[in-house]
Amino acid sequence: ITPFTQPSPIVSVMIAGDTTVESGKTTTLRFLGKRSDSSVVEFFTDVSWGTSDSTLAVVSAGVVTAIRPGDVQITARLQNSGLTSSKSIHITRGWTPWDLLSPEGKAYFRVSTSGTFRRVWKWPASAFPLKMWAGAGITPEIVDSAASYWRQETGGKITHRMVSDSASAQMMAKIEPTYASRLVCAGLGIWETDGVITKVVLLISPRPSCLDFLRNVLTHEMGHGLGLLEEGTAGIMGPRLSWDRDPLTHEIINWLYLPEVWPGMLFIDW
């Protein structure tokens, strides 16, 4: 019988791996320990990883995801031992979906009503075709017409179908009596989690002046419900709610629904 030999104790630890990574990419770090007999062991379990700034980079099981340029400290601690090591990583500017937008497109996202940078809100690809419902006083045909505007504008990226059951609908349009006394013709409620839109309710004023313009009002509010959170300057998202095609709106909505643009992405031109 071979006697069991207790491994030599761990006397020090270190993190090995890259010191530079591009934003938008990942790098894998290794957590190593040195025993008292000078042998080296790599730890895969019982390790707690951390980051000094989760807006710059996040880390899980040693895999660092670089988010934006800057310098960040990644730490690793061997559980039940108190042994800890840290590593500085410099994040350089890599390619981002921002590079696909024109200066005008970037400016649209920079200027927000709250004065802060927004995160991308969009429907996931799995949500399409969006199930749409028309409430009392709004015909399914006019909702369908408004939704078709965005289907045509995106070349089919955004699709929809009408449903008769409001409980199954993802986007609902209905008359809101409390809006009769408001200056605006419409508003909306948006449900989202981490930038993923899950439900939208379009609220329309019953004032005749609004209902006479209903198709344009619905199309405008749908634009907000699809993720165009800011008001535009022309076209259907502009103040006149014009049915004329606006090149900037066309660029932004098509950019928003590229697969490279993910929900929750921060609107910063790094």
Side-chain angles (χ1 to χ4, degrees), residues 52-71:
S52 62
D53 190 339
S54 60
T55 68
L56 291 177
V58 294
V59 58
S60 176
V63 179
V64 177
T65 300
I67 300 174
R68 62 187 177 92
D71 294 296

Side-chain angles (χ1 to χ4, degrees), residues 245-268:
R245 183 175 180 273
D246 172 47
L248 182 57
T249 299
H250 177 80
E251 176 192 10
I252 292 169
I253 192 65
N254 279 280
W255 174 84
L256 190 61
Y257 281 91
L258 289 172
E260 295 90 345
V261 177
W262 63 91
M265 188 178 75
L266 189 62
F267 286 142
I268 295 180

Side-chain angles (χ1 to χ4, degrees), residues 17-27 29 52 56-57 64-74 87-94:
D18 295 331
T19 57
T20 302
V21 62
E22 287 186 359
S23 60
K25 294 187 177 181
T26 64
T27 186
L29 302 178
S52 62
L56 291 177
V64 177
T65 300
I67 300 174
R68 62 187 177 92
D71 294 296
V72 66
Q73 288 282 330
I74 301 298
K87 188 177 188 66
S88 297
I89 293 184
H90 177 65
I91 304 171
T92 60
R93 188 193 189 283

Side-chain angles (χ1 to χ4, degrees), residues 3-11 34-39 41 43:
F4 173 76
T5 302
Q6 184 73 26
S8 300
I10 302 296
V11 295
K34 184 178 181 181
R35 297 188 185 277
S36 59
D37 62 3
S38 297
S39 63
V41 60
F43 302 105

